[in-house]
Amino acid sequence: GLFVPPRLCCAIRVDTEVMTPVSPFAVRRRRVLRALISLRRKERRDRARQWWGAALEKRLPRYCSGKKGKNRPPKLYGRASAYGRSFGVSARDDFQFGLSGDAFYRCFRFHRKDIPVLVRALNIPDTFTTTRGCVIDGEEALLIFLRRMSYPNRWVDLELMFQRSSGSMSDISTEVRKHLLPIAGRKLREFDYKYWAPWIPAFADAIAAKGSPLKRVWGFIDGTFRAMSRPGKDGYRGPVQRAFYCGYKRKHGVEFQAILLPNGMAGEMNGPHPGLLNDLTMLDISKLILRLILFILYLGRWFYLFGNLPYHKHFVLLSPLQNSQTMSAEAKKFNKKMSKVRVSVEHYFAKVISLFAFVDFSKNMKLYKQPVGAFWLIACLLTNCHSCLYGNQTSRYFKVPTPDLEDYLS
């Protein structure tokens, strides 16, 4: 073995791997070098944090008071800022301007003067309190939700606009959605017969005036498919994958059964149903035929709904004549006239997607993370509210007025 004198036992450390003596000065030198390296790394981290803090601070808009960062005043788009007139978002740090009327409409899909009317009609409370304890004005919360629904955007993109964190705005949007969903379910999940009963004769007369061969058709029935991301929890061949996959569209999604009216509004949006189902299956599940029969008995007069070819003919639900080589010229003329009036009503789906494009962004519609069906129902409710305030193309074509907003939601 290695002989170590007794006097050096405390001064020399024996390295057992290479069996060579190590000087205590070398050990101390290594310790000093390690301390210097860790100190330099900490200084680099601190400098990087300071640089990123300064860079993020430059992105914040500059106010007249010159305040920035945590001390900046809150930016509101409700009554506190005259609905966006007082200030807006600018690409320059040293300039700030108010939102014009057109910019406000593009951001929130409603004009400034109609926001208080919408708040009253939807029974928006004075304040919302999120699960994390954040308290926000009800009108401001509704505007955040409208801005989110107006276009596919990320919460981080709206931080500079509303001066709130992504998590806070997400919680606020959830509270507004919870408030609006029962209203949408009450008005759209099943046809409101008592409210629309006085309108039915006027609807039938308006459709007949546009050349419909059937004089008592008061509305149109159709299905719509809303695409979403592929559910990924149960694999490619799991039950959820098969239930929500539509072979015709070759996408995953949910189905809705809609009753569309000649005033350009949706009377019913029954769903959501799995994307695997077809129109006839949804018709059976919704029990619409039975409800229509009861509605006819309630009216005391006979009226019809009109659908496309997949729907079977019924004494309360009609469909076009089957195409065949032996079809007469009169039958072809009948189909052409009915198709003309039916297609004009289906512009409703295009209006929903145009106003609230967030529901059409399938990559963000995730079954296990977001209520896909709830977003579509609320978008349809807000589209009906938009039609009540500003009208639509279909109501002008059939010359049928839309109801008053507060009367419709009462």
Side-chain angles (χ1 to χ4, degrees), residues 235-398:
Y236 283 94
R237 295 186 180 182
V240 178
Q241 294 280 338
R242 297 183 180 182
F244 288 91
Y245 182 76
C246 178
Y248 178 74
K249 299 285 186 178
R250 296 186 178 182
K251 294 179 181 178
H252 293 84
V254 293
E255 293 270 4
F256 286 87
Q257 179 181 269
I259 295 179
L260 306 176
L261 306 175
N263 62 356
M265 298 174 64
E268 177 176 320
M269 194 66 62
N270 190 271
H273 301 284
L276 181 66
L277 304 183
N278 55 24
D279 292 343
L280 290 180
T281 308
M282 287 192 295
L283 184 66
D284 295 337
I285 294 175
S286 64
K287 299 181 181 180
L288 180 62
I289 296 296
L290 177 61
R291 291 189 282 122
L292 288 176
I293 295 173
L294 297 176
F295 182 47
I296 295 300
L297 295 175
Y298 175 78
L299 287 175
R301 298 178 60 185
W302 213 266
F303 292 97
Y304 313 96
L305 275 181
F306 191 83
N308 49 12
L309 279 174
Y311 293 101
H312 298 313
K313 293 179 178 59
H314 198 275
F315 58 87
V316 292
L317 177 61
L318 303 179
S319 61
L321 300 175
Q322 295 290 336
N323 294 322
S324 63
Q325 297 179 355
T326 60
M327 182 180 291
S328 63
E330 294 182 357
K332 293 181 181 179
K333 187 177 180 180
F334 171 83
N335 286 349
K336 185 176 181 181
K337 288 184 177 180
M338 292 305 301
S339 176
K340 181 180 178 181
V341 294
R342 188 180 69 86
V343 169
S344 61
V345 177
E346 292 187 356
H347 294 161
Y348 176 83
F349 298 126
K351 182 178 180 179
V352 177
I353 296 173
S354 176
L355 288 177
F356 305 104
F358 178 78
V359 297
D360 196 43
F361 187 54
S362 59
K363 291 184 179 180
N364 201 40
M365 294 289 111
K366 301 176 182 179
L367 183 64
Y368 291 104
K369 293 184 178 180
Q370 291 181 339
V372 180
F375 277 123
W376 176 255
L377 279 176
I378 294 173
C380 293
L381 174 69
L382 294 175
T383 303
N384 282 357
C385 296
H386 189 278
S387 296
C388 291
L389 291 172
Y390 312 115
N392 53 69
Q393 180 182 354
T394 305
S395 65
R396 290 188 289 269
Y397 174 77
F398 286 103

Side-chain angles (χ1 to χ4, degrees), residues 176-189 378 381:
V176 178
R177 174 174 53 80
K178 290 179 181 179
H179 176 79
L180 295 180
L181 185 58
I183 303 175
R186 175 173 56 87
K187 298 300 296 185
L188 294 175
R189 285 195 187 275
I378 294 173
L381 174 69

